[in-house]
Amino acid sequence: MALATSHPHLIDRLPRPRGRLTADAPLGPQTWFATGGPAEVLFRPADTEDLASFLEVLPIDVPVTVLGVGSNLLVRDGGVKGVVVRLMRGFTGIAVDGNELLAGAGAPDLNVALTARDHALAGLEFLSGIPGTIGGAVRMNAGAYGGELAQVLVSAEAVDRAGKVHRISVSEFTFSYRHSSAPADWIFTSARLHAEPGDQLVIGRRIAEIDTARTESQPRSRTGGSTFVNPPGHKAWELIDQAGCRGLRLGDAQVSEKHCNFLINLGAASAADLEALGEEVRRRVLDKSGVRLDWEIRRIGVPV
């Protein structure tokens, strides 16, 4: 479905970067849910300098959205207006510097954990349980299995909407549960993380334990990961289960039988199906427990 827009030829108004620009680029296949509409324009910058120079001269009326690996994301069926930035080659490198790792924002969290393991560096094992990239992890203070990004971050680099590059230390951030104080228009390009010397076998064993725990407790199908944030004093999955939503289905959208804080695309679910199912879960949980669930999955784009 073509994206309705007041700028039918947006790509013709854009600066010419060294990276790749693609008009009407399908986004659904690039997300774990495997559904949703296209990007008006998809931009894959070559490096930080390319991203900064592009944003500096990008017309101010053009919205910018960042896409990671699409693991905790629902793209609505009408697609995303403006420019969608995806950090791929040029942003996936991982370098070891003593007890620290410098990771590009496009580097998968798992790869960072495995690189630390290969260099006998401990403290980053929890990253292996987070299905995303380092840029997204900094943005939302991602955490799992007893660790969170705020505990290991040394500094980060980001580019703002005006194309200015910011280099900030962890002391300049305020972190809370699944949230950082970074301005909404910042696009993280890299992060420096600290670790501790450790026993490579022990580190590897912990990563294997996390992988086993994920396999046993979470679906590995077309899903977006944890759908709702755990409310204070509660676990979202327990509230959903108590409200009778385990296995609840709307078309090809289903609440996972295995872990009911996960939504699944059984094959042909639209983004509208998945979002409507999530809203129905929220309604039932509120009716049953009086607790209002907040979405953890990021929902972007235009409904149809």
Side-chain angles (χ1 to χ4, degrees):
M1 179 185 295
L3 183 66
T5 171
S6 57
H7 303 295
H9 304 294
L10 173 63
I11 198 166
D12 297 331
R13 300 177 55 218
L14 301 182
R16 288 290 173 259
R18 285 180 287 116
R20 293 179 59 188
L21 289 177
T22 309
D24 203 33
L27 292 181
Q30 300 185 56
T31 70
W32 285 29
F33 273 127
T35 192
E40 193 169 359
V41 175
L42 180 65
F43 174 36
R44 286 171 280 206
D47 51 34
T48 300
E49 183 184 9
D50 190 36
L51 174 62
S53 58
F54 177 86
L55 292 173
E56 185 177 7
V57 295
L58 182 68
I60 197 66
D61 63 303
V62 178
V64 176
T65 305
V66 184
L67 180 70
V69 292
S71 57
N72 203 230
L73 182 76
L74 184 63
V75 177
R76 293 184 174 114
D77 301 304
V80 182
K81 291 181 181 293
V83 174
V84 174
V85 176
R86 188 153 194 221
L87 305 182
M88 299 181 72
R89 277 181 300 185
F91 296 90
T92 57
I94 304 167
V96 176
D97 179 14
N99 291 342
E100 296 181 348
L101 283 81
L102 180 64
D109 300 327
L110 172 62
N111 291 5
V112 175
L114 295 177
T115 300
R117 178 201 65 188
D118 293 346
H119 289 79
L121 292 172
L124 301 179
E125 296 90 335
F126 74 94
L127 287 170
S128 68
I130 302 173
T133 59
I134 287 298
V138 175
R139 162 64 61 193
M140 66 174 291
N141 188 23
Y145 300 98
E148 63 179 12
L149 208 284
Q151 298 166 348
V152 298
L153 183 68
V154 176
S155 61
E157 180 185 80
V159 181
D160 68 20
R161 177 61 177 78
K164 182 181 178 183
V165 178
H166 300 263
R167 294 178 179 88
I168 57 275
S169 68
V170 67
S171 62
E172 297 173 73
F173 284 94
T174 301
F175 286 106
S176 56
Y177 178 68
R178 302 297 174 263
H179 178 76
S180 79
S181 60
D185 70 333
W186 281 18
I187 299 175
F188 287 100
T189 53
S190 67
R192 182 174 286 272
L193 310 176
H194 71 81
E196 301 290 341
D199 183 313
Q200 191 170 14
L201 289 176
V202 173
I203 296 165
R205 197 152 50 236
R206 177 60 181 150
I207 290 174
E209 286 171 0
I210 290 171
D211 183 60
T212 298
R214 287 187 67 216
T215 301
E216 290 176 351
S217 67
Q218 299 176 8
R220 289 288 177 101
S221 46
R222 296 179 184 178
T223 182
S226 293
T227 306
F228 302 107
V229 176
N230 288 325
H234 298 278
K235 292 182 177 176
W237 77 264
E238 288 181 343
L239 294 171
I240 294 166
D241 203 15
Q242 289 162 8
C245 296
R246 186 183 293 268
L248 186 65
R249 188 168 167 178
L250 176 63
D252 263 6
Q254 185 181 37
V255 176
S256 170
E257 298 268 9
K258 192 171 192 179
H259 189 315
C260 48
N261 196 24
F262 283 62
L263 300 183
I264 295 172
N265 177 2
L266 296 173
S270 65
D273 291 337
L274 288 158
E275 189 165 15
L277 179 60
E279 289 298 334
E280 176 62 12
V281 168
R282 294 181 73 222
R283 187 189 69 77
R284 293 191 185 194
V285 167
L286 184 61
D287 285 351
K288 174 73 174 177
S289 65
V291 177
R292 190 179 302 276
L293 292 177
D294 291 327
W295 284 87
E296 182 169 333
I297 286 177
R298 185 171 160 234
R299 294 158 296 146
I300 63 172
V302 182
V304 293

